[in-house]
Amino acid sequence: MNKPSLMTKHHGWMAKLLHWSTAGLLGYGYLTGVDSVSQLADPELFSTEITFAVCLGLVFLFRFFWMRWFNGSTRLTSDAPNWERVLSKVAHHGIYVGVAMIVLSGLAIAYGYATPALSGLFVSAMTAFHEFSLAVTAILLLSHVIGALWHKLVRKDGIWESMLPNWHRRS
Ligand code: HEM
């Protein structure tokens, strides 16, 4: 494949910090999340899960606006094909929507669990929605990593490097 005529600019340091810290938070959430609603009977776990969900949601919200208002959301160059633009937009926006669904359905489960009138059908429906959101977001993340590898190994256009530390920058 031909090399693109323009090379990409790095993302800003704050964008990189937010990208990798939210990636770590989400990874931690996937690895340590509760396995069944009955575990919420432990009051310490219950409040830890709520705190984690609120923090994850707020950090992603901050990141979303930081990227839109200050950093710019992609470093794809103007000569990138249209299909790459569309797919990256779908994956990036999809990840934000997926994380919002995970957080909101998680908080809804906690609310339903703590409200006797809502336990039952409401908690079951929210649990099913939470599991669906986790699965869809995982697929989007996998597609995102495959897309990043596409840029690294095939396009070689600097997109992969744009989210890594810029060791070679001269001051
Ligand atoms: C939980 C893990 C991850 C999440 C939630 C995530 C999410 C995102 C999102 C939403 C963007 C678009 C910029 C923005 O609006 O913030 C982005 C950009 C980017 N990500 Fe990730 N990402 C993750 C992991 C990774 C990994 C593992 C890699 C590399 C292997 C990677 C490489 C990149 C690159 C190179 C960009 C810049 C793309 C561009 O400039 O168009 N990401 N990421």
Side-chain angles (χ1 to χ4, degrees), residues 11 19-20 22-24 26-27 60 63 67-68 73-76 88 91-93 95-96 99 141 144-145 148-149 159-163:
H11 284 278
H19 180 273
W20 294 110
T22 49
L26 205 51
F60 260 92
R63 173 182 164 174
M67 297 305 284
R68 261 80 216 147
S73 45
T74 182
R75 291 298 188 250
L76 278 175
S88 86
H92 295 163
H93 282 92
I95 290 171
Y96 283 109
V99 171
L141 287 171
H144 176 61
V145 173
L149 284 168
I159 287 289
W160 169 280
E161 289 74 13
S162 73
M163 205 39 107

